[in-house]
Amino acid sequence: MSVQERKQRERAERERLIVATARELAEQQGWDAVTTRRLAERIEYSQPVLYSHFRGKREIIGAVALQGAAEMAAAVRAAASAADGPRDRVTALARTYLDFAARNPAVYDALFQLDGGLAFADEDTPEPLKDAFAALLDSLAEVAGDGVHPGLFTEVFWASLHGLATLTRAGRLPPEDIEPRVELLVNRLAMV
């Protein structure tokens, strides 16, 4: 291995460590606890090393969001592919999405609540975000209904899931009623 390859590998490893540590700290104590000073202390590198990878917290949030988008897309695809038929696929998608949001609140916030400097619904949208939307679209397009654009249907279904996830996390909806909400959403909006 050349010196250049080793340095690139070490740089990539430091970047993974920064993102993993930020994510862990955010999941434990919230995003307000994530500062470059605390990250530097936890990973035992200087703040200038962090700044050589990320210009600041905003970019770190963006990196966590991209990682989370890839994880969410994989989880949604796995759940949907294990289901039989359109109704089971849509139900599995909804449950998986809501479970992901509940189990990964800091990642979910990085994706959809915080400014990570990422473009959504734009030509500059990063691939992991496009792929996360595509994972939803793959299962929802078949149930969009006649004359309904699959992308538009996916946006509305996603917005419904996001609303359920956000309101449940905020304590505005009782968590024990999540299953009836999923059934209502699948039965009425997807009508499968």
Side-chain angles (χ1 to χ4, degrees):
M1 173 181 301
S2 73
V3 172
Q4 178 70 13
E5 289 171 330
R6 183 182 52 79
K7 285 183 179 184
Q8 287 175 340
R9 187 185 63 199
E10 289 171 355
R11 180 173 176 75
E13 185 54 40
R14 269 193 316 271
E15 192 166 300
R16 279 190 292 276
L17 180 61
I18 293 166
V19 172
T21 304
R23 182 176 175 167
E24 179 184 318
L25 186 57
E27 292 291 2
Q28 291 171 352
Q29 299 176 31
W31 278 104
D32 287 343
V34 179
T35 64
T36 54
R37 170 174 271 164
R38 289 183 87 183
L39 286 173
E41 289 171 4
R42 282 206 174 193
I43 64 172
E44 299 178 345
Y45 283 105
S46 67
Q47 284 181 296
V49 169
L50 265 73
Y51 285 117
S52 74
H53 291 274
F54 300 100
R55 286 183 287 199
K57 183 175 176 176
R58 182 179 187 218
E59 284 188 6
I60 294 169
I61 290 169
V64 170
L66 293 177
Q67 185 181 73
E71 291 171 10
M72 186 174 69
V76 164
R77 282 194 174 101
S81 70
D84 292 324
R87 185 180 200 297
D88 286 345
R89 271 191 293 282
V90 174
T91 301
L93 175 151
R95 287 179 182 146
T96 300
Y97 183 97
L98 294 171
D99 183 59
F100 181 89
R103 284 186 302 104
N104 304 283
V107 173
Y108 194 81
D109 286 348
L111 268 164
F112 302 119
Q113 305 288 77
L114 302 173
D115 179 9
L118 304 173
F120 282 80
D122 190 85
E123 62 186 45
D124 295 332
T125 300
E127 279 307 312
L129 297 180
K130 289 179 183 177
D131 189 54
F133 184 78
L136 299 174
L137 180 64
D138 292 345
S139 292
L140 294 171
E142 68 182 323
V143 299
D146 293 337
V148 177
H149 187 280
L152 183 62
F153 179 79
T154 301
E155 290 171 352
V156 171
F157 198 90
W158 171 34
S160 298
L161 290 174
H162 176 69
L164 290 175
T166 303
L167 292 170
T168 302
R169 278 189 51 213
R172 304 295 196 273
L173 297 175
E176 63 272 9
D177 292 334
I178 199 70
E179 194 57 34
R181 288 188 201 103
V182 166
E183 290 299 315
L184 184 62
L185 183 62
V186 170
N187 290 335
R188 299 293 186 189
L189 190 56
M191 294 192 294
V192 288

